[in-house]
Amino acid sequence: MWKLPPRRNERKPPHVPAGVRIYAIGDVHGRADLLASLLLQIEVDIALHPVSRPIAVFLGDYIDRGPDSKEVLELLITPGRTPEMVFLKGNHETFMLNFLKTPALLDNWRQYGGLETLVSYGLKPPISPSFNDRARLARDLASATPESHRKFFEALKLSFVCGDFLFVHAGLRPLIPIQQQTEDDLLWIRDDFLLWDKAFEKIVVHGHTPVLEPDVRFNRINIDTGAFATGRLTCMTIEAAEIMPLIDVRDWLDKLPDVETSQGDTIGLEEPVSSSDTVRHAGGSNAVAGYPARRSDSAAAIHAKRLKEDVNAYDAPTRLRLDPRRSTNAFSHPRR
């Protein structure tokens, strides 16, 4: 847990308003598996640590590089999520939108993982596409893209402010007021922002530039931990003046307790289950009466549902095991 020092001429450290908790989520890049687990983590965290106004702020780059860009968008637009959702625009979202208008930009997009996005929509881009191939792919992608996805892209925000924190995809141009920042800088800037060693108007929470672990500084916080390559999708909580990451999704899933299922427990499973079935933590292949769990978050989905209904349905030791804030030291294991 971190608490940033007070800024010059201010007594209190940077904070968000009372009753608000921010869940800031880094670049997803097509990792629907990590996103699904993280959304469940957030639901469990809210159930175990209630707050008046939870807000999930996504820092952009939902698509490209990873294998499941289409499914990422489906997860994000699913109605009924517990926290309020704020979706920011990343530079990768501009690639898809520009390609639909100008198919000749495919060569540029493919350098940034665009082919993986095309494949996630069921398309088969050729290795060396001709001019006509590019035009055909753009038409096919337009046809394969649901209207709900288009509206999602159109509604993306460039920035979000809460209390003393500014959330943006890439960063800010130093010495330029927030209101005068260009979209290009907000989505693309690197060195001029990253190397700036003085304060900004707000503490900037950003992604865009991958780091091995969250980089918390006095003037900015980088939470892009390269999910598509590392398997680490970071969620940073900000409440009052306290800043704390939820534990690594893989640690959380790996240590979930087994759960006895009932007829009503169908979340994340291929088939309804009987009262005698047991879902193993992380969704083992023998999870449900001969039917493998659809994803490794099957048990997590059931726990999240039950906790939302009645947090006291679990004893204290089990709640500790389910808690996304628990210390990782006692549960850590070597990485391969």
Side-chain angles (χ1 to χ4, degrees):
M1 181 181 297
W2 295 275
K3 192 172 281 188
L4 298 176
R7 293 178 295 177
R8 182 179 296 179
N9 300 324
E10 293 188 9
R11 294 181 179 179
K12 295 194 302 183
H15 63 283
V16 296
V20 172
R21 180 187 302 147
I22 298 291
Y23 294 92
I25 297 96
D27 305 28
V28 180
H29 277 308
R31 289 299 300 267
D33 56 336
L34 300 177
L35 176 62
S37 301
L38 186 54
L39 290 171
L40 290 169
Q41 267 191 297
I42 292 172
E43 290 189 8
V44 168
D45 190 69
I46 294 170
L48 293 174
H49 308 281
V51 66
S52 299
R53 188 185 178 192
I55 307 174
V57 182
F58 293 83
L59 298 183
D61 280 6
Y62 312 99
I63 63 171
D64 297 346
R65 302 196 189 282
D68 297 309
S69 293
K70 181 180 180 181
E71 187 176 356
V72 164
L73 297 183
E74 286 296 316
L75 286 169
L76 294 176
I77 65 177
T78 299
R81 296 290 183 194
T82 300
E84 179 182 337
M85 298 284 204
V86 175
F87 300 113
L88 301 184
K89 186 178 184 180
N91 60 302
H92 280 259
E93 280 68 64
T94 65
F95 285 122
M96 182 171 172
L97 297 174
N98 290 339
F99 170 68
L100 288 171
K101 299 175 182 176
T102 311
L105 295 175
L106 177 62
D107 288 345
N108 189 33
W109 187 22
R110 70 189 299 166
Q111 296 179 42
Y112 291 88
L115 296 188
E116 289 86 343
T117 297
L118 291 171
V119 171
S120 78
Y121 279 91
L123 307 183
K124 297 180 179 180
I127 296 176
S128 299
S130 65
F131 177 83
N132 290 335
D133 290 332
R134 296 186 185 95
R136 175 183 55 79
L137 281 171
R139 291 194 300 270
D140 291 347
L141 179 59
S143 298
T145 303
E147 183 64 23
S148 57
H149 291 199
R150 289 178 176 272
K151 290 181 178 180
F152 175 85
F153 283 125
E154 292 169 358
L156 294 175
K157 302 177 182 296
L158 289 175
S159 64
F160 174 71
V161 173
C162 185
D164 296 319
F165 294 85
L166 168 74
F167 302 83
V168 68
H169 177 64
L172 301 178
R173 175 72 57 185
L175 303 179
I176 303 296
I178 292 173
Q179 296 82 358
Q180 297 177 24
Q181 297 283 329
T182 68
E183 179 171 336
D184 187 66
D185 279 336
L186 295 175
L187 301 185
W188 285 96
I189 196 168
R190 288 197 194 274
D191 287 352
D192 288 349
F193 165 69
L194 298 174
L195 298 177
W196 186 251
D197 61 357
K198 298 178 179 61
F200 297 100
E201 292 178 63
K202 304 279 186 179
I203 307 301
V204 183
V205 183
H206 67 97
H208 186 57
T209 301
V211 288
L212 292 178
E213 58 186 20
D215 185 5
V216 180
R217 307 194 180 197
F218 82 98
N219 60 351
R220 65 178 181 85
I221 303 171
N222 184 356
I223 60 170
D224 177 11
T225 46
F228 75 95
T230 66
R232 291 189 292 274
L233 177 59
T234 290
C235 177
M236 188 72 73
T237 66
I238 305 173
E239 187 170 6
E242 294 182 345
I243 303 167
M244 180 181 68
L246 298 187
I247 67 170
D248 190 296
V249 167
R250 294 169 301 176
D251 289 320
W252 185 68
L253 283 176
D254 188 58
K255 296 303 176 183
L256 287 175
D258 296 346
V259 56
E260 293 293 331
T261 61
S262 65
Q263 289 290 348
D265 290 322
T266 58
I267 299 177
L269 305 178
E270 291 285 2
E271 299 288 343
V273 297
S274 69
S275 59
S276 61
D277 291 329
T278 300
V279 177
R280 299 294 177 188
H281 66 75
S285 61
N286 61 342
V288 180
Y291 295 100
R294 181 170 64 88
R295 287 195 301 258
S296 62
D297 55 32
S298 298
I302 294 173
H303 287 305
K305 178 184 177 185
R306 291 181 178 177
L307 280 165
K308 288 169 68 176
E309 292 171 348
D310 181 11
V311 70
N312 294 317
Y314 293 84
D315 59 24
T318 304
R319 290 199 299 270
L320 179 61
R321 293 180 67 190
L322 289 167
D323 194 339
R325 301 181 181 211
R326 59 176 162 75
S327 170
T328 58
N329 294 333
F331 302 99
S332 62
H333 57 273
R335 298 287 182 215
R336 293 185 179 179

